Amino acid sequence: MLGVCYYPEHWDESRWTEDARRMRELGISFVRIGEFAWSRLEPARDEFQFEWLDRAMDVLHAAGLKVVLGTPTATPPKWLVDEHPDILPYGEDGKVRGFGSRRHYTFSSKTWWRESARIVEIIARRYGEHPGLVGWQTDNEYGCHDTTASWGPEDLKQFKQWLRLRYQSPEQLNEAWGSVFWSMELKSFEDVSLPNLTVTETNPATRLDFWRFQSDQVAAYDKMQCEIIRKHSPGRWVTHNFMGFVSDFDHFKVGDNLDLASWDSYPIGFVEKFPFTEEERNRWAQTSHPDIAPYHHDLYRSVGKGRFWVMEQQPGPVNWAPWNPVPKPGMVRLWTWEALAHGAEVVSYFRWRQAPFAQEQMHAGLNMSGLDELSPGGLEAQQVGKELDAFGNLPESGKAQVALVFDYQTYWTTMIQPQGMDFRYGELCFRWYEILRRLGLDIDFVRPGDSLDGYSLVVVPCMTEVDVATEAALAKATGQILIGARTGSRDRNFVIPKNLPPGPLGKHTGNRVIQVSTLRPGLSDAVSGEVKGAAIRWRETVQTSANILARFANGDPALTEHGNMLYLACWADETLLSSVLTLAAKKAGLETIALPDHIRIRRRGDLTFAFNYGTEAWKIPENGTLVLGDRVLEPQAVSAWKTSIS
Amino acid sequence: MLGVCYYPEHWDESRWTEDARRMRELGISFVRIGEFAWSRLEPARDEFQFEWLDRAMDVLHAAGLKVVLGTPTATPPKWLVDEHPDILPYGEDGKVRGFGSRRHYTFSSKTWWRESARIVEIIARRYGEHPGLVGWQTDNEYGCHDTTASWGPEDLKQFKQWLRLRYQSPEQLNEAWGSVFWSMELKSFEDVSLPNLTVTETNPATRLDFWRFQSDQVAAYDKMQCEIIRKHSPGRWVTHNFMGFVSDFDHFKVGDNLDLASWDSYPIGFVEKFPFTEEERNRWAQTSHPDIAPYHHDLYRSVGKGRFWVMEQQPGPVNWAPWNPVPKPGMVRLWTWEALAHGAEVVSYFRWRQAPFAQEQMHAGLNMSGLDELSPGGLEAQQVGKELDAFGNLPESGKAQVALVFDYQTYWTTMIQPQGMDFRYGELCFRWYEILRRLGLDIDFVRPGDSLDGYSLVVVPCMTEVDVATEAALAKATGQILIGARTGSRDRNFVIPKNLPPGPLGKHTGNRVIQVSTLRPGLSDAVSGEVKGAAIRWRETVQTSANILARFANGDPALTEHGNMLYLACWADETLLSSVLTLAAKKAGLETIALPDHIRIRRRGDLTFAFNYGTEAWKIPENGTLVLGDRVLEPQAVSAWKTSIS
Amino acid sequence: MLGVCYYPEHWDESRWTEDARRMRELGISFVRIGEFAWSRLEPARDEFQFEWLDRAMDVLHAAGLKVVLGTPTATPPKWLVDEHPDILPYGEDGKVRGFGSRRHYTFSSKTWWRESARIVEIIARRYGEHPGLVGWQTDNEYGCHDTTASWGPEDLKQFKQWLRLRYQSPEQLNEAWGSVFWSMELKSFEDVSLPNLTVTETNPATRLDFWRFQSDQVAAYDKMQCEIIRKHSPGRWVTHNFMGFVSDFDHFKVGDNLDLASWDSYPIGFVEKFPFTEEERNRWAQTSHPDIAPYHHDLYRSVGKGRFWVMEQQPGPVNWAPWNPVPKPGMVRLWTWEALAHGAEVVSYFRWRQAPFAQEQMHAGLNMSGLDELSPGGLEAQQVGKELDAFGNLPESGKAQVALVFDYQTYWTTMIQPQGMDFRYGELCFRWYEILRRLGLDIDFVRPGDSLDGYSLVVVPCMTEVDVATEAALAKATGQILIGARTGSRDRNFVIPKNLPPGPLGKHTGNRVIQVSTLRPGLSDAVSGEVKGAAIRWRETVQTSANILARFANGDPALTEHGNMLYLACWADETLLSSVLTLAAKKAGLETIALPDHIRIRRRGDLTFAFNYGTEAWKIPENGTLVLGDRVLEPQAVSAWKTSIS
């Protein structure tokens, strides 16, 4: 199904009806509105103007559109900021981040919670049972623009409180943090200070707790909104639109509040954000890398416990990346189908019409700036609309062959203490995901501690703290398991385990890591044996009682096997990673296919989709009944066929 | 004519007479003094010490030198800053920029205006009719060290006032700015905040207005000084010494106050400032790029409505660039002649003698550090002095063949919203200028809205807002016109025109820009047809009713022609730009010559000058009577010949 | 002799005895403790807990270890910071640098001096005559984390006082600083402001004085601690552990307070800190560059007036560099022997056992994280321990053949006013040192003004201010002297000398520098004559009455000779530097040997040591009796032989 983001407040009311009619004509079923409209709904304290929104919802509903209403908390209006400056966030540099853009609040402000609850309740009461309303979006893109954490007095106050609950006494806090080091001992929770603006680095344990605290706040704040909405809007679902490559808070915890997850898919902008090589950036500048959007589809399908939307789909060039190329013809359609293939329930384009004013005026819409005329991207959306009409309902997404255990805390931990400055957890997971998909495999992201039943292959690229539940899930898993380096390298207090890494997995892997080397770009260590390639960035010295499948140049173990558990003692370069994952898939009994690096496939039920992100055509395997596209998959084309996959 | 900058307060009074004598001996006619001497003139509030300056002026006058006196407002003394800290400027980072260097004031401070008026009036009264005095310089290098804008409470106060006058009501401001976006609506002008220190980007319309406001303040402040001076100093002219590559304020508006413009020419330092390639930087490190100084000569000739000086001419190595090489032998002389060829009335060297102390001690002078001994650059100045004596009066500068419409607001607009991070307006204009000069053409900079009569070729590299006057001037122009991409892409409120770009030029060009792609370095789009080369950085998708002279690879129009108006729908690489400008010149009926890239020529009346910036000699065309130099133009040499130019 | 750094407060008391026993077993004689333990010794104001330290010292003493006790002033505890926030330092950005790491104090705070004196006296009284105590370490790593200077109100207050003493009157200060420039004149010392947070650069003379002032404060603060210690701890020596590549304060002045110098040797981490090329960084990543540690050994031997320790020796991978590779096997032993060969009395490893918690948990120890099990580095230390046992006492270090005059003020001066941004004094000295050592020569660092008697060759890579004592020492020196460019280029007030550079050395060299060119990377100027190569970065135009041994391309003098004084008028590239130093050594009558660039030798008395930092073996010269290692020096091996050196 298709959707669109719409801002009735941006256009003269006389245009609404025609807009709604043209949306339906395009094949659009859902429309998201309202998420930045606070100053229009409440232009001054307690002076509400809901009539325009009443009329807008009625118009949209009358046209047969299903409305998703956003709470407007991402943009507190000027009068509120002036009344309560304590809602403003602080940067890590100690400066207030003021009014004038968006997301200018800290999750730590109790005033902000009160004001948020107030406006959400008022809106939920008014529209909660509107017949056109099908669901809600809380706030907008938590964490975007580096807004998970704030570093002001309100944050310190709440952080102290959070620590009080976690540690109960300053003695226990000192013990957990190792505060004896550098005389950092505290005598009371009032002694706690924020871990910024110091002479040199602060205690990593403090920083991890500060990160956990901020993440917890996001989830709690979201939960507060969800509870108010549910109280006043029975039968409607609630979602939040997450961003891509934001890992500052634990999305799974926010997902716990939601009926379904959604995310904002800007595949091209992300090419400049992810640490690709310059060559990759040039290659994928106008199509995006083939795994950028899918990686997030699979992640958010997991965050949404199986259900997700693309809430904002890039419909053409955008405005916010260092460069903003026009996507190649066909890409808007391709991205839409790719999302559906990965199980998206709805793909909703951002936005209906390009705004000619303000910050995002260079962001394409389905219609050109200010006009009632489809843009090139709009024409592609129209094509998908027709194709979907012809298609009917898509089958359910089943369980994938491969589970990738993804852990937000590992992102925080390795950011806090990289040890080698290019140890980036997000990049690591992405590269594992990429290689697996180039083998033609489907992937589920799994939350640490969740069951691993039914997966032929389980990969853990890295998980610094392996908690009891995760250890148990791994121990119980019957598929092939592959554990990456640095896993189990810390306990819950950011302390190196007494039995050395991989800590709780020591007994399961037969390994003990006695030394770690981080390698600057240009340095590597060759690996050979059952797999081959090279270690880069991170390389462990392992003592093992397991089988050694491959060794580093000096004979140290590089890949070990103990029962169903493989352990890879380094950051692998592309050759080694491909070699290791191919071996793991083979041991898992999975059939793989060496896809060209610009082709991807994805199964949804009995359908297999294929996508061409490159410049050369690809002939699809001859084992199914074509239901979309051709057997020769041209550049930027999509094909789909029915088949039975083992 | 030659001049020099002199600081009597830096030297023992016993040396003044000999200094003045040696200046005259060198061929110097003008001497600028006084512009940093506030603390010597008024060491404490209302305690004046003018006697030393009285004597200095008398000594200089007695030697036959004509004095240019600078107002000392670029360096408010410590006692004044202590009395009135509100005169200090704030950085965009929110920090006060304190005492200890120069330009430490904000144009927004009313206290500062009062104090400036006071000191200017006192000085103007005392020296306004001194027989040695011929002219005035206001302040020093407005905008240098990023001092056009300030971001403090005084600035906010004045910005609000400026907005009140422009918009009359908050409703009109909200409408103009599109404040509905992200709930940025304001209820009164008191709600306005500065567009800095926010979570993410602020409204580009706000930023443009802030930039216009600051620019207006510079012009108004300058006007205040000029009016005081004129009141007390009849018959003397007033100028200001502008910097190179500073575009933060509208120099044309300041020029409106002045009798003539002047600028400070540091050709080598600017090589590190302009975004040249590393290869270019190495090539031109010791001569400067052949167009750096000329570009500014032509710009400031326009700012000065035909009259300009070089107020400070680099006489050797300087101190402020990342590297400061010694110019190649001959360059100080070459730069001087190049300025004169472009119409400079006076070239004034900075400075008479190298100061052995303080910030600029590594800045060469005509005399070596502390000594009465000419430096290598001083010897070259001496040579020019002799040559000028032999030459007699130079002819008037006539109108050039080519008009380049230059627009400060376009610089601000594209800085505020680059869309591709390498879209740099200054670089664009410079590259167009460079290619035109390599075709042997002379160029006038034209202020937007000014008449384009009499120009065979009019080029508009980019002009984001095409106002009514400019549209009219273009419509009336009879020469060949070439419009660059992004022109007419915004209205006066920073809004995309309703008829899409090029807005008011849509009907004149027959074009409508429906999409824009910005291309990262490494990406390009080939162009072929009557011109060839490639688009880089910026590439438009144009719908056109005009003739299509060249197309992009996919067939989209790249160069269109509609009447006398060519439209180039991209940022052109060097090949394409050269091809397009050659075609445009041909259509304009101009005779061009393919100069080697290290040679430039420039006409002044019936004289043609040639300059060699490179390492290989060049044989000048055999069509004139040599009046300076040789027919074989050696590296770093200058030749001039009389001829009749069509 | 070997030592180790130990933190009894990090481990359960039950482990101390066994730790001490195992230290002795390893061959360790000295143990440093206590330098970060303030919060354990005085957990709250005047509440002391010394019992644990009493017991720890007794345990260590009982095991036969000699204790070095550190004063704990590098880590003021939270309660003290809360009581007296005025002890906190400010960054140059004007922000307070808060509690949470270490070195969070400013040397300007009189409160801090009082509190430091208090805790040092209490500890010195308690332990000053403990039978196990042999020496003291003041504080920890002065200047580390950019903590020499602070930019707060206390600093301004003390700076004014320092200036009062230096200049006596504001008139003299204005005269010395050239404050007339840009109206910077001050009317009283109260007018002084810190040279930060200004619009553009501040007066270099002010900055130099601010640097001198801060440097003086470090020395005075250290002296205060030393005096208290000596009063209460008769017969014990005092040292301080300096860092590598910290030149913010004059180490010689601190050395004046000490009985011996010591330093913290982290050869691998420094590879990322020094401006090596990427190629060099990759090459030396796992061994360190062969001159990094030796350079500092020789420097600190001079700071310690002949006596030095390595107080902290890297025993494996560390935690604080951008990448932290495991050293190649053999390097921990090699570094230890290299230090001893350069005259170190003791090499003390940091640390006994890797801490599993807090900031340095990834820093290797002699024992693995939390365990009683030697790490790979621990095993190498064990080997050295055995070798030293077999060796007996090492001979005294004699005077080297070459003196390198090293001047901290030149570092400050060239940082303040680089003129070419890659003029780095530290790099210059290092490269001269490197080439000299590749010629097989031993080097003493000499403090400016100290006698140069007995050195065959004296090199002065650069010394901006040549004071009277240094001029006299150079005039008196009978060896061959080589003076580098920029020497004598400023007087004590940061003013260019009246006779132009090299100022006081003008008459000794026969030279006068009339112009300076700084060259961007990519530019160079060929030199030929008795030496050949090229000038890069810095190139002078010299007028000379001396013999010209080599010239630049245009004929200007590049290397001149006047009596025993050579003058090199540029920054030399590797080829030229090697050529010049070879010539200078030859003129000095020194026998040189062209060592492969991965091999170094060093004499200590009648012993010659050889070290292999590379990947290829080297056959040692056949002129001595082998006492350690083999005649074929394998990679990472050490050999030593007895011989008589001329």
Side-chain angles (χ1 to χ4, degrees), chain A residues 15 38 91 129 150 163 174 183 239 251 257 301 309 344 379 384 393 479 482 490 555 591 622 636 640:
Chain A
R15 301 176 75 174
W38 195 335
E129 307 198 48
S150 166
L163 291 171
N174 285 330
S183 277
T239 192
H251 292 42
N257 306 327
R301 196 176 61 249
W309 285 31
L379 293 167
V384 179
N393 285 341
L482 171 64
R490 292 294 177 279
E591 201 177 331
E622 300 286 347
Q636 284 70 66

Side-chain angles (χ1 to χ4, degrees), chain C residues 566-577:
Chain C
L566 294 165
Y567 184 92
L568 176 62
C570 63
W571 184 298
D573 74 352
E574 186 179 331
T575 304
L576 179 59
L577 184 57

Side-chain angles (χ1 to χ4, degrees), chain A residues 12-88:
Chain A
D12 192 276
E13 192 165 338
S14 62
R15 301 176 75 174
W16 295 354
T17 305
E18 176 64 5
D19 277 344
R21 189 195 64 73
R22 290 182 60 240
M23 287 177 197
R24 292 295 296 145
E25 188 179 65
L26 202 74
I28 285 171
S29 307
F30 295 87
V31 58
R32 184 197 66 175
I33 61 172
E35 83 280 9
F36 295 127
W38 195 335
S39 77
R40 279 291 158 102
L41 296 173
E42 190 183 20
R45 161 72 66 193
D46 292 336
E47 294 177 17
F48 295 98
Q49 291 184 352
F50 282 117
E51 298 71 17
W52 69 269
L53 184 54
D54 298 348
R55 291 192 298 273
M57 291 204 41
D58 292 347
V59 164
L60 297 169
H61 176 49
L65 290 158
K66 293 169 187 159
V67 177
V68 179
L69 191 54
T71 66
T73 45
T75 49
K78 186 63 164 65
W79 59 260
L80 178 53
V81 172
D82 286 346
E83 259 183 30
H84 297 293
D86 61 302
I87 72 175
L88 290 174

Side-chain angles (χ1 to χ4, degrees), chain A residues 138 142 217-226 240 254 257-258:
Chain A
T138 53
Y142 291 136
Q217 289 203 126
V218 178
Y221 175 83
D222 184 75
K223 191 175 184 194
M224 174 270 287
Q225 290 209 6
C226 290
H240 172 76
V254 175
N257 306 327
L258 308 174

Side-chain angles (χ1 to χ4, degrees), chain A residues 185 197 490 512 517-518 520, chain C residues 39-40 98 272 324 326 361:
Chain A
E185 290 167 300
L197 302 176
R490 292 294 177 279
R512 189 173 85 136
S517 199
T518 51
R520 66 192 330 278
Chain C
S39 77
R40 279 290 160 102
E272 296 289 340
N324 297 287
V326 170
Q361 55 183 253

Side-chain angles (χ1 to χ4, degrees), chain C residues 92 142-149 151 204 207-212 214-215 243-252 273-275 295-296 299-300 404-430 445 448 460-466 485-490 494 537-538 571:
Chain C
E92 190 168 352
Y142 292 135
C144 192
H145 318 305
D146 197 17
T147 54
T148 299
W151 306 78
R207 278 181 284 160
L208 178 57
D209 272 347
F210 187 64
W211 218 320
R212 286 166 168 159
Q214 295 282 16
S215 175
M243 263 306 273
F245 292 125
V246 166
S247 303
D248 283 328
F249 62 93
D250 188 334
H251 291 42
F252 292 116
K273 207 168 169 181
F274 185 83
Y295 178 90
H296 289 93
L299 169 62
Y300 290 117
L404 187 157
V405 180
F406 186 82
D407 178 37
Y408 285 95
Q409 182 175 277
T410 298
Y411 172 83
W412 312 335
T413 305
T414 52
M415 286 285 282
I416 287 168
Q417 193 178 75
Q419 183 66 6
M421 63 179 281
D422 48 11
F423 195 105
R424 301 183 200 98
Y425 176 65
E427 184 180 353
L428 183 74
C429 292
F430 183 85
F445 281 66
V460 185
C462 178
M463 187 173 168
T464 45
E465 179 199 346
V466 176
R486 206 170 186 169
T487 297
S489 56
R490 293 294 178 278
F494 210 103
R537 305 191 193 191
W538 182 279
W571 184 298

Side-chain angles (χ1 to χ4, degrees), chain A residues 93 181 183-185 191 197-203 419-422 490 494 496 512 517-518 520-521, chain C residues 36 38-40 78 95 97-99 101 272 278 281-282 318 322-326 356 359 361-362 373:
Chain A
D93 62 358
F181 197 81
S183 277
M184 296 178 295
E185 290 167 300
D191 281 351
L197 302 176
T198 54
V199 170
T200 182
E201 66 168 324
T202 52
N203 195 324
Q419 184 64 8
M421 63 179 281
D422 49 10
R490 292 294 177 279
F494 211 105
I496 299 172
R512 189 173 85 136
S517 199
T518 51
R520 66 192 330 278
Chain C
F36 296 126
W38 195 335
S39 77
R40 279 290 160 102
K78 185 64 164 65
K95 285 185 195 159
R97 305 176 78 185
F99 181 85
S101 59
E272 296 289 340
E278 278 298 287
R281 284 200 174 143
N282 285 336
V318 299
W323 290 274
N324 297 287
V326 170
Q359 279 92 330
Q361 55 183 253
M362 290 299 284
E373 206 180 332

